Amino acid sequence: MVVGMTVAAISAAVASFAGLRGLALVAGWPDRLAWLLPITIDAYAMTSARVWLAGTIGSSRARRFARANAVGAIATSIVGNAGYHLIATGLVAISWPIVVLVGAVPAAVLGLTAHLHALTTVATPDHEPAPAAADRPEPRTEVRTRTDVDLLNAAREVDARHRAKHGGRPISRDGLRAALRIAGPKATELRRRLAAESTKANDSTDRKEASPRS
């Protein structure tokens, strides 16, 4: 299989080279420069195909552009060879559009190659995938600092809900820390203040009950 592919590739390359060189000659190129036409077209076809099929060169936009130009370069080579044989057999006469088109090939390939190179090296943010959520800048949010009074009031509310849910049992230090999202020492301080308030409230209730009724 490898031998067969090699023979076919060499035969196709030699035949294409001869046809395109002959087209350059009949289009008025000097004999010493006619060989540049097949070299130019085939080199650009291989370059475009490399960028297109590699999958790791350039952005998706560059690969799409390379695919279109690889197909275009191969089609140009086919049309050029067919045109030369039509001219050689006398079925098509040389006219000025053929001369102009053949003469424009080098300049067109140069411009397309430069554009392809730019697409493979220059970032194109409008065609690139959107950044991942982790790479996006987080929106600014206004942070409000909680004072000791705010924390104490919040701790009272949390403790009251905990007591109502668990039969009057006070909330623990770790429960306060998790509910208010505060550090351990601050949770300990708030738990101590809640306990002191609860003790004071119980003593006041006991004194009222112990006093003689009027």
Side-chain angles (χ1 to χ4, degrees):
M1 185 178 65
V2 174
V3 172
M5 290 176 60
T6 302
V7 172
I10 293 175
S11 300
V14 172
S16 176
F17 183 91
L20 292 175
R21 181 178 179 277
L23 179 63
L25 288 173
V26 298
W29 288 35
D31 182 71
R32 68 180 185 279
L33 299 179
W35 61 274
L36 291 175
L37 180 63
I39 293 296
T40 300
I41 295 176
D42 292 343
Y44 185 61
M46 288 188 295
T47 302
S48 301
R50 170 64 178 167
V51 176
W52 167 28
L53 299 175
T56 56
I57 302 177
S59 62
S60 58
R61 181 185 177 187
R63 289 191 292 273
R64 288 194 300 269
F65 183 78
R67 177 181 60 191
N69 283 272
V71 174
I74 295 172
T76 300
S77 179
I78 294 173
V79 171
N81 278 277
Y84 168 71
H85 290 295
L86 289 173
I87 293 171
T89 56
L91 296 176
V92 174
I94 290 293
S95 57
W96 69 265
I98 295 177
V99 176
V100 171
L101 289 175
V102 174
V105 168
V109 169
L110 177 61
L112 293 172
T113 304
H115 186 61
L116 179 60
H117 175 70
L119 289 178
T120 57
T121 55
V122 179
T124 53
D126 53 332
H127 289 278
E128 293 297 323
D135 299 332
R136 296 174 187 165
E138 295 184 358
R140 294 183 178 180
T141 55
E142 185 177 353
V143 179
R144 179 177 178 269
T145 304
R146 293 182 294 181
T147 64
D148 289 343
V149 176
D150 294 333
L151 288 175
L152 181 57
N153 291 332
R156 288 169 180 161
E157 294 177 1
V158 172
D159 182 58
R161 289 197 298 267
H162 187 275
R163 288 175 182 270
K165 186 177 180 180
H166 297 87
R169 190 173 65 217
I171 192 171
S172 65
R173 165 191 172 275
D174 291 335
L176 276 176
R177 183 172 60 84
L180 301 180
R181 297 182 180 181
I182 56 179
K186 192 64 179 179
T188 301
E189 177 188 348
L190 291 173
R191 181 67 187 85
R192 187 180 300 115
R193 295 180 67 175
L194 290 176
E197 290 180 354
S198 178
T199 301
K200 184 177 179 180
N202 291 335
D203 291 344
S204 177
T205 301
D206 292 342
R207 283 196 299 268
K208 288 181 179 180
E209 292 178 351
S211 62
R213 294 181 180 177
S214 56

